[in-house]
Amino acid sequence: MWTRLKRLYHKMGSPKWFYEITTRWSKWFMAVGSILMLTGVVWGLAFAPADYLQGNSFRIIYIHVPASLLSQSAYIMMAVAGLVGLVWNMKMSFVVGKVIAPIGASLAILSLLTGAIWGKPTWGTWWVWDARLTSMLILLFLYFGVIAIYNAIENDEMANKAAAVLSIVGSINIPVIKYSVEWWNTLHQSATITLTKKPTMAPEMFIPLMLTILGFYCWFAVWVFARTRNEILFKERKTNWVKKLLQNGHKKTTGAQL
Amino acid sequence: MFFDDFSSFLAMGGHGLYVWLSYSLAAVIVAINFISPVLTRKKIIKDIERQLRREQK
Amino acid sequence: MLMALLKRDLLLAFRSRGDLLNPLMFFMMVASLFPLAVSPDPQFLGTIAAGVIWVGALLATLLSLDLMFKSDYEDGSLEQMLLMPQPAMLMVLVKVLVHWLVAGLPLAFIAPLLGLMLGLPNGGFMPLVLSLLLATPILSLLGAIGAGLTVGLRKGGMLMPLLILPLYIPVLIFASSSVQAGVQGSDYLGHMAFLGAYLALTLVVAPVAAAAALRISLAR
């Protein structure tokens, strides 16, 4: 068992192996993710019943909640990748952490935008300092910090390690931030209706939500793999396997890159 | 189907603007996430091939 | 050894008194911008005073963080300190302590003055000073991480607020609402307990993280 794990670990650390295995996995994640998203979105938009309080505007939930959830867990994933990189000095782990940052930030932006749009019919204004939206905004700021580090530090290895430290500290702080923002929100009672209220959701509303959440996760994997493979190609451009890969069947690989 | 006809599906009971605006923003952000690694990849491959050709000369 | 470092750093800090006063002057200026920008009405100022003073304290701390490791980095003594037999995190703790003594603690003393100028109701003074005393060490501790990460960078001064401000938000929330609670005459011990807990957490995490950050920054 232990030796097997160890072997897997060493394989994961090899860029070539990572490149090849994710090329294969990506197709499956893409296919499954697209089916889930398509079903979830069509179901959510056209078949799920309207919410008795919010009417049809609640259908925004099928993108708002997956985007919020995913961007939060992406931050944690980034921190874990950074921790693995720092502790075991694993280069591939740093690469994965690096490519997650812009994707996670884009999802945080999507969550904020859809939250604001959803707020307009619900609360009457585009922006309310609701607890969840506020914590999301702070999460976006945390992403900004990590991205700013990558932009500011030219040395790759140093940037990776610095961003890893920052994302670890950030993820330790996320629970404290969430708790304090929620506490602050109950103190001021700004929004009486919370946008998403899961426990009361009917199954025909809830199942499509599960589908889009899972679909978003699959697509997220595809995005991370695609960006990681780009980083690998660039880093390993002088090696023989990359040269060989490009010489025989570059056409084929461009077709199968997603 | 929850809606009676296609136009009421588009109208979303008066909330059409909000729903469709959200979904189109999602489509844009998803599309960016799909397309940008493809573009980066093309650029990287072009750079590597140029490098290889230079080396062969 | 660490005591010697503490003495040396305090001496250095007091030699350059100008640097020491800059954050304080900045703090006062920021606070006096609000009556000019919004309204000099004492009633209104009293309601926002807690928030204004606390935001000012955050910004003033950010301004002074740049100095935490900079001069030691520039003359190369920081590298020597990392080579000391004592763990690097203790060295960081000394640096944090010095930063707090010269930049954080004075804020707590000058804040009541600003409270007077901004018409802070009487009940707010006690929690204001208490919260500053409890929470400015948190600002210095978290700031050490940012200072460690950006110490070798030319554009570090611009980068630091981006990295550190989101981490300051829990402090801002609890500290300024403790003042508000004091103004309303309600109990603010709960807020202080939270700040104390957050201080304990950062006291554990921040020196380790800042020491790691310094190692990374100096590895080139």
Side-chain angles (χ1 to χ4, degrees), chain A residues 22-52:
Chain A
T22 54
T23 313
R24 253 180 288 153
W25 286 352
S26 277
K27 286 175 212 154
W28 289 103
F29 276 112
M30 184 68 195
V32 174
S34 303
I35 292 168
L36 287 170
M37 281 304 287
L38 201 66
T39 332
V41 165
V42 169
W43 189 342
L45 274 177
F47 293 94
D51 187 74
Y52 67 98

Side-chain angles (χ1 to χ4, degrees), chain A residues 86 138 141-142 144-146 148-149 152-153 155 158 161-162 165-166 169-170 172-173 176-177 179-181 183-184 187-188, chain C residues 142 145 149 153-155 159 162-164 166-167 169-170 173-174 177 180 191 194 198 201 205 209 212-213 216-217 219-220:
Chain A
L86 283 180
I138 300 169
F141 293 162
L142 287 172
F144 282 167
V146 176
I149 278 213
I153 305 179
N155 180 316
M158 221 180 109
K161 286 182 178 169
V165 169
L166 185 70
V169 172
I172 294 173
N173 267 283
V176 185
I177 292 172
Y179 169 74
S180 57
V181 168
W183 179 86
W184 158 84
L187 197 73
H188 294 280
Chain C
L142 288 174
I145 304 171
L149 286 173
L153 301 174
R154 258 174 290 129
K155 295 170 290 182
L159 187 60
L162 272 178
L163 310 184
I164 295 305
L167 304 177
I169 285 169
I173 288 175
F174 275 91
S177 64
Q180 235 122 43
H191 306 74
F194 176 87
Y198 198 43
L201 176 72
V205 174
I216 292 162
S217 291
R220 286 169 308 165

Side-chain angles (χ1 to χ4, degrees), chain C residues 4-52:
Chain C
L5 182 62
L6 181 65
K7 253 186 212 153
R8 163 189 175 272
D9 279 0
L10 280 175
L11 204 69
L12 278 177
F14 280 104
R15 285 235 182 94
S16 52
R17 267 177 290 257
D19 288 349
L20 221 150
L21 282 175
N22 283 346
L24 272 181
M25 294 193 282
F26 177 80
F27 183 44
M28 293 187 66
M29 282 182 198
V30 166
S32 44
L33 290 181
F34 282 83
L36 296 173
V38 195
S39 151
D41 171 34
Q43 197 84 48
F44 169 75
L45 280 178
T47 57
I48 62 162
V52 169

Side-chain angles (χ1 to χ4, degrees), chain A residues 114-127:
Chain A
T114 52
I117 294 170
W118 194 356
K120 182 67 181 159
T122 313
W123 299 319
T125 50
W126 293 102
W127 183 263

Side-chain angles (χ1 to χ4, degrees), chain A residues 57 60 77 79 88 100 106 137 147-148 156 159 190 193 232 238:
Chain A
S57 68
I60 297 172
M77 286 184 223
W88 289 290
I100 287 178
S106 77
L137 187 65
I147 292 170
D156 254 5
S190 53
I193 311 172
I232 293 174
K238 302 242 161 67

Side-chain angles (χ1 to χ4, degrees), chain C residues 51-66:
Chain C
V52 169
I53 293 173
W54 255 102
V55 170
L58 286 195
L59 296 179
T61 313
L62 274 181
L63 198 70
S64 58
L65 277 175
D66 211 24

